[in-house]
Amino acid sequence: MESSSFCEVLVKVKPTKWENILHRVLWVLTFVYLALGLVYLIFLAFFLVFLIAALLYGRHLRLEYEYQYLDGSLRIDRITNRSRRKRLGMYAMENLTLMAPEGHDRLAPYASRNDIKVLDYSSRDPTAELRYMLVFQGGGVVQLLLLEPTEAMVQAMWRAAPSKVVRKAMLPKQ
């Protein structure tokens, strides 16, 4: 029997080095075409194009994922630019096949399968401590989710399905 539990995690996505470089290049081109536009009016059109591109791409870089676990269901939302929220999925613990730390032995059968849809809802930071992979099956579709839950969220999910969740605390010390 599940007890009432609620956990919420907000994970900020770390932009890659190339995304940051592209954003800076867009801003440099914006200011170059602004300077040229002050001399030749035709370049003001390019300035406006690069200004819009830099602003829109900058919004893309401010991305966060929010995980909410409530009584056997996991909800994942994407928050863009700290203002726009979009629901990415609702996952029931009944459909959970396995939840284990990234690289765990029990995840090996899923690594070589081609029919699995992989969804990365993590910060994309390779140094993150607590990265888990969740395997959900439902409706003929197998999904592999990459998340960075807190220890409290892992504990709550373990209480709901102890045979399906492998906690990091249960792993042998290295």
Side-chain angles (χ1 to χ4, degrees):
M1 184 170 145
E2 293 179 35
S3 63
S4 178
S5 61
F6 175 76
C7 295
E8 185 176 44
V9 179
L10 189 65
V11 176
K12 184 174 179 162
V13 176
K14 182 179 178 184
T16 65
K17 178 177 80 169
W18 294 108
E19 288 174 332
N20 284 330
I21 289 172
L22 178 61
H23 191 235
R24 288 186 182 121
V25 166
L26 284 172
W27 278 111
V28 167
L29 289 173
T30 300
F31 288 116
V32 165
Y33 281 112
L34 173 63
L36 289 173
L38 295 175
V39 177
Y40 304 106
L41 290 178
I42 188 70
F43 288 111
L44 282 180
F46 291 108
F47 161 71
L48 290 174
V49 168
F50 280 107
L51 177 66
I52 291 170
L55 290 173
L56 290 177
Y57 193 71
R59 287 177 49 189
H60 162 73
L61 294 180
R62 289 186 292 274
L63 183 64
E64 298 170 321
Y65 291 113
E66 182 182 54
Y67 320 137
Q68 292 180 349
Y69 176 76
L70 176 64
D71 293 334
S73 67
L74 177 67
R75 182 176 114 183
I76 300 176
D77 294 341
R78 179 180 62 216
I79 303 170
T80 307
N81 203 25
R82 295 187 185 132
S83 61
R84 304 184 89 184
R85 176 183 298 267
K86 181 177 181 187
R87 169 107 13 103
L88 297 177
M90 290 281 293
Y91 302 94
M93 289 300 285
E94 297 92 43
N95 298 334
L96 179 70
T97 303
L98 176 65
M99 176 180 175
E102 186 179 33
H104 192 269
D105 294 341
R106 287 181 60 185
L107 292 166
Y110 301 100
S112 61
R113 290 179 54 178
N114 294 330
D115 63 332
I116 294 180
K117 184 177 181 181
V118 179
L119 302 169
D120 187 358
Y121 300 133
S122 69
S123 68
R124 297 186 207 148
D125 184 7
T127 61
E129 282 184 31
L130 203 61
R131 290 168 56 109
Y132 276 83
M133 298 184 103
L134 288 77
V135 180
F136 283 96
Q137 291 184 348
V141 177
V142 180
Q143 293 183 340
L144 184 81
L145 278 60
L146 183 59
L147 304 178
E148 294 179 19
T150 60
E151 192 62 47
M153 182 177 279
V154 173
Q155 183 72 18
M157 293 174 87
W158 178 78
R159 273 182 268 151
S163 63
K164 298 176 182 179
V165 177
V166 177
R167 296 179 296 167
K168 219 170 199 157
M170 297 167 50
L171 299 177
K173 301 287 182 193
Q174 296 179 359

